[in-house]
PDB file of all heavy atoms in Angstrom:
ATOM      1  N   VAL A 160      20.784   6.632 -18.681  1.00 98.00           N
ATOM      2  CA  VAL A 160      20.285   7.339 -17.493  1.00 98.00           C
ATOM      3  C   VAL A 160      18.834   7.757 -17.713  1.00 98.00           C
ATOM      4  O   VAL A 160      17.991   7.590 -16.830  1.00 98.00           O
ATOM      5  CB  VAL A 160      21.159   8.571 -17.166  1.00 98.00           C
ATOM      6  CG1 VAL A 160      20.544   9.384 -16.034  1.00 98.00           C
ATOM      7  CG2 VAL A 160      22.576   8.155 -16.813  1.00 98.00           C
ATOM      8  N   ASP A 163      16.603   4.263 -18.140  1.00 97.00           N
ATOM      9  CA  ASP A 163      16.627   3.251 -17.082  1.00 97.00           C
ATOM     10  C   ASP A 163      17.443   3.743 -15.882  1.00 97.00           C
ATOM     11  O   ASP A 163      18.480   3.168 -15.547  1.00 97.00           O
ATOM     12  CB  ASP A 163      17.205   1.947 -17.635  1.00 97.00           C
ATOM     13  CG  ASP A 163      17.119   0.803 -16.645  1.00 97.00           C
ATOM     14  OD1 ASP A 163      16.200   0.806 -15.802  1.00 97.00           O
ATOM     15  OD2 ASP A 163      17.990  -0.083 -16.693  1.00 97.00           O
ATOM     16  N   PRO A 164      16.974   4.803 -15.207  1.00 98.00           N
ATOM     17  CA  PRO A 164      17.754   5.361 -14.097  1.00 98.00           C
ATOM     18  C   PRO A 164      17.729   4.458 -12.862  1.00 98.00           C
ATOM     19  O   PRO A 164      16.796   3.674 -12.675  1.00 98.00           O
ATOM     20  CB  PRO A 164      17.051   6.681 -13.810  1.00 98.00           C
ATOM     21  CG  PRO A 164      15.635   6.437 -14.211  1.00 98.00           C
ATOM     22  CD  PRO A 164      15.720   5.518 -15.422  1.00 98.00           C
ATOM     23  N   ASP A 165      18.753   4.600 -12.037  1.00 97.00           N
ATOM     24  CA  ASP A 165      18.757   3.938 -10.732  1.00 97.00           C
ATOM     25  C   ASP A 165      17.884   4.711  -9.749  1.00 97.00           C
ATOM     26  O   ASP A 165      17.302   4.144  -8.830  1.00 97.00           O
ATOM     27  CB  ASP A 165      20.180   3.854 -10.171  1.00 97.00           C
ATOM     28  CG  ASP A 165      21.073   2.934 -10.984  1.00 97.00           C
ATOM     29  OD1 ASP A 165      20.548   2.022 -11.646  1.00 97.00           O
ATOM     30  OD2 ASP A 165      22.302   3.134 -10.951  1.00 97.00           O
ATOM     31  N   TYR A 166      17.820   6.028  -9.952  1.00 97.00           N
ATOM     32  CA  TYR A 166      17.046   6.887  -9.062  1.00 97.00           C
ATOM     33  C   TYR A 166      16.680   8.154  -9.827  1.00 97.00           C
ATOM     34  O   TYR A 166      17.423   8.597 -10.691  1.00 97.00           O
ATOM     35  CB  TYR A 166      17.888   7.256  -7.824  1.00 97.00           C
ATOM     36  CG  TYR A 166      17.154   8.122  -6.842  1.00 97.00           C
ATOM     37  CD1 TYR A 166      16.205   7.579  -5.978  1.00 97.00           C
ATOM     38  CD2 TYR A 166      17.393   9.491  -6.775  1.00 97.00           C
ATOM     39  CE1 TYR A 166      15.517   8.377  -5.074  1.00 97.00           C
ATOM     40  CE2 TYR A 166      16.709  10.296  -5.876  1.00 97.00           C
ATOM     41  CZ  TYR A 166      15.776   9.733  -5.035  1.00 97.00           C
ATOM     42  OH  TYR A 166      15.094  10.531  -4.156  1.00 97.00           O
ATOM     43  N   SER A 167      15.525   8.728  -9.489  1.00 97.00           N
ATOM     44  CA  SER A 167      15.149  10.011 -10.090  1.00 97.00           C
ATOM     45  C   SER A 167      14.285  10.789  -9.116  1.00 97.00           C
ATOM     46  O   SER A 167      13.649  10.220  -8.226  1.00 97.00           O
ATOM     47  CB  SER A 167      14.420   9.812 -11.420  1.00 97.00           C
ATOM     48  OG  SER A 167      13.190   9.171 -11.214  1.00 97.00           O
ATOM     49  N   ASP A 168      14.274  12.103  -9.288  1.00 96.00           N
ATOM     50  CA  ASP A 168      13.394  12.967  -8.520  1.00 96.00           C
ATOM     51  C   ASP A 168      13.126  14.235  -9.322  1.00 96.00           C
ATOM     52  O   ASP A 168      13.680  14.423 -10.401  1.00 96.00           O
ATOM     53  CB  ASP A 168      13.947  13.271  -7.125  1.00 96.00           C
ATOM     54  CG  ASP A 168      15.194  14.138  -7.110  1.00 96.00           C
ATOM     55  OD1 ASP A 168      15.546  14.733  -8.157  1.00 96.00           O
ATOM     56  OD2 ASP A 168      15.835  14.235  -6.053  1.00 96.00           O
ATOM     57  N   ARG A 177      15.714  15.157 -12.308  1.00 97.00           N
ATOM     58  CA  ARG A 177      17.092  14.722 -12.095  1.00 97.00           C
ATOM     59  C   ARG A 177      17.095  13.203 -12.065  1.00 97.00           C
ATOM     60  O   ARG A 177      16.282  12.591 -11.362  1.00 97.00           O
ATOM     61  CB  ARG A 177      17.625  15.266 -10.766  1.00 97.00           C
ATOM     62  CG  ARG A 177      17.591  16.774 -10.709  1.00 97.00           C
ATOM     63  CD  ARG A 177      18.051  17.296  -9.381  1.00 97.00           C
ATOM     64  NE  ARG A 177      17.056  16.971  -8.345  1.00 97.00           N
ATOM     65  CZ  ARG A 177      16.920  17.633  -7.207  1.00 97.00           C
ATOM     66  NH1 ARG A 177      17.705  18.655  -6.946  1.00 97.00           N
ATOM     67  NH2 ARG A 177      16.018  17.290  -6.322  1.00 97.00           N
ATOM     68  N   LYS A 178      18.001  12.617 -12.840  1.00 98.00           N
ATOM     69  CA  LYS A 178      18.108  11.155 -12.878  1.00 98.00           C
ATOM     70  C   LYS A 178      19.573  10.759 -12.705  1.00 98.00           C
ATOM     71  O   LYS A 178      20.463  11.455 -13.192  1.00 98.00           O
ATOM     72  CB  LYS A 178      17.581  10.601 -14.200  1.00 98.00           C
ATOM     73  CG  LYS A 178      16.085  10.805 -14.369  1.00 98.00           C
ATOM     74  CD  LYS A 178      15.554  10.088 -15.587  1.00 98.00           C
ATOM     75  CE  LYS A 178      14.044  10.231 -15.659  1.00 98.00           C
ATOM     76  NZ  LYS A 178      13.465   9.340 -16.668  1.00 98.00           N
ATOM     77  N   TRP A 179      19.781   9.637 -12.011  1.00 98.00           N
ATOM     78  CA  TRP A 179      21.116   9.113 -11.764  1.00 98.00           C
ATOM     79  C   TRP A 179      21.182   7.648 -12.159  1.00 98.00           C
ATOM     80  O   TRP A 179      20.202   6.919 -12.019  1.00 98.00           O
ATOM     81  CB  TRP A 179      21.461   9.181 -10.281  1.00 98.00           C
ATOM     82  CG  TRP A 179      21.628  10.521  -9.679  1.00 98.00           C
ATOM     83  CD1 TRP A 179      22.802  11.173  -9.467  1.00 98.00           C
ATOM     84  CD2 TRP A 179      20.616  11.382  -9.154  1.00 98.00           C
ATOM     85  NE1 TRP A 179      22.586  12.376  -8.845  1.00 98.00           N
ATOM     86  CE2 TRP A 179      21.245  12.534  -8.647  1.00 98.00           C
ATOM     87  CE3 TRP A 179      19.220  11.297  -9.074  1.00 98.00           C
ATOM     88  CZ2 TRP A 179      20.547  13.575  -8.055  1.00 98.00           C
ATOM     89  CZ3 TRP A 179      18.521  12.326  -8.497  1.00 98.00           C
ATOM     90  CH2 TRP A 179      19.176  13.458  -7.992  1.00 98.00           C
ATOM     91  N   LYS A 180      22.346   7.245 -12.620  1.00 98.00           N
ATOM     92  CA  LYS A 180      22.601   5.833 -12.905  1.00 98.00           C
ATOM     93  C   LYS A 180      24.085   5.571 -12.706  1.00 98.00           C
ATOM     94  O   LYS A 180      24.927   6.362 -13.130  1.00 98.00           O
ATOM     95  CB  LYS A 180      22.196   5.469 -14.328  1.00 98.00           C
ATOM     96  CG  LYS A 180      22.359   3.978 -14.617  1.00 98.00           C
ATOM     97  CD  LYS A 180      21.672   3.597 -15.900  1.00 98.00           C
ATOM     98  CE  LYS A 180      21.674   2.104 -16.116  1.00 98.00           C
ATOM     99  NZ  LYS A 180      20.787   1.387 -15.199  1.00 98.00           N
ATOM    100  N   ARG A 181      24.377   4.450 -12.065  1.00 97.00           N
ATOM    101  CA  ARG A 181      25.766   4.025 -11.903  1.00 97.00           C
ATOM    102  C   ARG A 181      26.280   3.494 -13.234  1.00 97.00           C
ATOM    103  O   ARG A 181      25.590   2.737 -13.915  1.00 97.00           O
ATOM    104  CB  ARG A 181      25.872   2.950 -10.836  1.00 97.00           C
ATOM    105  CG  ARG A 181      25.432   3.457  -9.479  1.00 97.00           C
ATOM    106  CD  ARG A 181      26.594   3.588  -8.567  1.00 97.00           C
ATOM    107  NE  ARG A 181      26.170   4.125  -7.273  1.00 97.00           N
ATOM    108  CZ  ARG A 181      26.799   5.078  -6.654  1.00 97.00           C
ATOM    109  NH1 ARG A 181      27.883   5.604  -7.167  1.00 97.00           N
ATOM    110  NH2 ARG A 181      26.385   5.517  -5.488  1.00 97.00           N
ATOM    111  N   ALA A 189      28.261   7.535 -10.353  1.00 97.00           N
ATOM    112  CA  ALA A 189      26.873   7.876 -10.675  1.00 97.00           C
ATOM    113  C   ALA A 189      26.832   9.051 -11.649  1.00 97.00           C
ATOM    114  O   ALA A 189      27.309  10.143 -11.335  1.00 97.00           O
ATOM    115  CB  ALA A 189      26.105   8.216  -9.416  1.00 97.00           C
ATOM    116  N   LEU A 190      26.259   8.801 -12.816  1.00 97.00           N
ATOM    117  CA  LEU A 190      26.075   9.867 -13.802  1.00 97.00           C
ATOM    118  C   LEU A 190      24.731  10.530 -13.536  1.00 97.00           C
ATOM    119  O   LEU A 190      23.700   9.860 -13.433  1.00 97.00           O
ATOM    120  CB  LEU A 190      26.122   9.305 -15.218  1.00 97.00           C
ATOM    121  CG  LEU A 190      26.046  10.341 -16.331  1.00 97.00           C
ATOM    122  CD1 LEU A 190      27.247  11.283 -16.288  1.00 97.00           C
ATOM    123  CD2 LEU A 190      25.974   9.639 -17.693  1.00 97.00           C
ATOM    124  N   ARG A 191      24.762  11.844 -13.410  1.00 97.00           N
ATOM    125  CA  ARG A 191      23.544  12.622 -13.160  1.00 97.00           C
ATOM    126  C   ARG A 191      23.184  13.380 -14.427  1.00 97.00           C
ATOM    127  O   ARG A 191      24.025  14.066 -15.013  1.00 97.00           O
ATOM    128  CB  ARG A 191      23.785  13.596 -12.019  1.00 97.00           C
ATOM    129  CG  ARG A 191      22.610  14.486 -11.707  1.00 97.00           C
ATOM    130  CD  ARG A 191      22.951  15.303 -10.482  1.00 97.00           C
ATOM    131  NE  ARG A 191      21.964  16.331 -10.238  1.00 97.00           N
ATOM    132  CZ  ARG A 191      21.975  17.115  -9.175  1.00 97.00           C
ATOM    133  NH1 ARG A 191      22.923  16.984  -8.255  1.00 97.00           N
ATOM    134  NH2 ARG A 191      21.072  18.033  -9.018  1.00 97.00           N
ATOM    135  N   VAL A 192      21.922  13.262 -14.821  1.00 98.00           N
ATOM    136  CA  VAL A 192      21.395  13.980 -15.984  1.00 98.00           C
ATOM    137  C   VAL A 192      20.191  14.784 -15.501  1.00 98.00           C
ATOM    138  O   VAL A 192      19.279  14.237 -14.882  1.00 98.00           O
ATOM    139  CB  VAL A 192      20.978  13.004 -17.112  1.00 98.00           C
ATOM    140  CG1 VAL A 192      20.371  13.773 -18.280  1.00 98.00           C
ATOM    141  CG2 VAL A 192      22.160  12.163 -17.567  1.00 98.00           C
ATOM    142  N   PHE A 207      26.741  15.299 -15.487  1.00 95.00           N
ATOM    143  CA  PHE A 207      28.024  15.189 -14.787  1.00 95.00           C
ATOM    144  C   PHE A 207      28.021  13.972 -13.873  1.00 95.00           C
ATOM    145  O   PHE A 207      26.960  13.452 -13.522  1.00 95.00           O
ATOM    146  CB  PHE A 207      28.331  16.453 -13.973  1.00 95.00           C
ATOM    147  CG  PHE A 207      27.302  16.791 -12.923  1.00 95.00           C
ATOM    148  CD1 PHE A 207      27.460  16.361 -11.609  1.00 95.00           C
ATOM    149  CD2 PHE A 207      26.190  17.541 -13.247  1.00 95.00           C
ATOM    150  CE1 PHE A 207      26.519  16.681 -10.645  1.00 95.00           C
ATOM    151  CE2 PHE A 207      25.251  17.877 -12.288  1.00 95.00           C
ATOM    152  CZ  PHE A 207      25.412  17.436 -10.983  1.00 95.00           C
ATOM    153  N   ASP A 209      28.231  12.619 -10.373  1.00 95.00           N
ATOM    154  CA  ASP A 209      27.845  13.208  -9.092  1.00 95.00           C
ATOM    155  C   ASP A 209      28.536  12.463  -7.949  1.00 95.00           C
ATOM    156  O   ASP A 209      28.129  11.363  -7.579  1.00 95.00           O
ATOM    157  CB  ASP A 209      26.331  13.136  -8.953  1.00 95.00           C
ATOM    158  CG  ASP A 209      25.792  13.909  -7.778  1.00 95.00           C
ATOM    159  OD1 ASP A 209      26.586  14.313  -6.910  1.00 95.00           O
ATOM    160  OD2 ASP A 209      24.565  14.103  -7.738  1.00 95.00           O
ATOM    161  N   PHE A 212      26.252  11.430  -4.817  1.00 92.00           N
ATOM    162  CA  PHE A 212      25.167  10.449  -4.917  1.00 92.00           C
ATOM    163  C   PHE A 212      25.511   9.214  -4.093  1.00 92.00           C
ATOM    164  O   PHE A 212      26.535   8.603  -4.282  1.00 92.00           O
ATOM    165  CB  PHE A 212      24.944  10.066  -6.389  1.00 92.00           C
ATOM    166  CG  PHE A 212      23.799   9.123  -6.580  1.00 92.00           C
ATOM    167  CD1 PHE A 212      22.492   9.547  -6.458  1.00 92.00           C
ATOM    168  CD2 PHE A 212      24.038   7.795  -6.898  1.00 92.00           C
ATOM    169  CE1 PHE A 212      21.442   8.678  -6.652  1.00 92.00           C
ATOM    170  CE2 PHE A 212      22.988   6.913  -7.091  1.00 92.00           C
ATOM    171  CZ  PHE A 212      21.681   7.351  -6.964  1.00 92.00           C
TER     172      PHE A 212
END
Side-chain angles (χ1 to χ4, degrees):
V160 174
D163 186 29
D165 293 335
Y166 181 78
S167 65
D168 68 13
R177 301 177 291 203
K178 293 188 176 191
W179 293 263
K180 184 167 187 71
R181 298 250 178 226
L190 184 63
R191 178 175 171 175
V192 177
F207 59 94
D209 189 347
F212 183 73

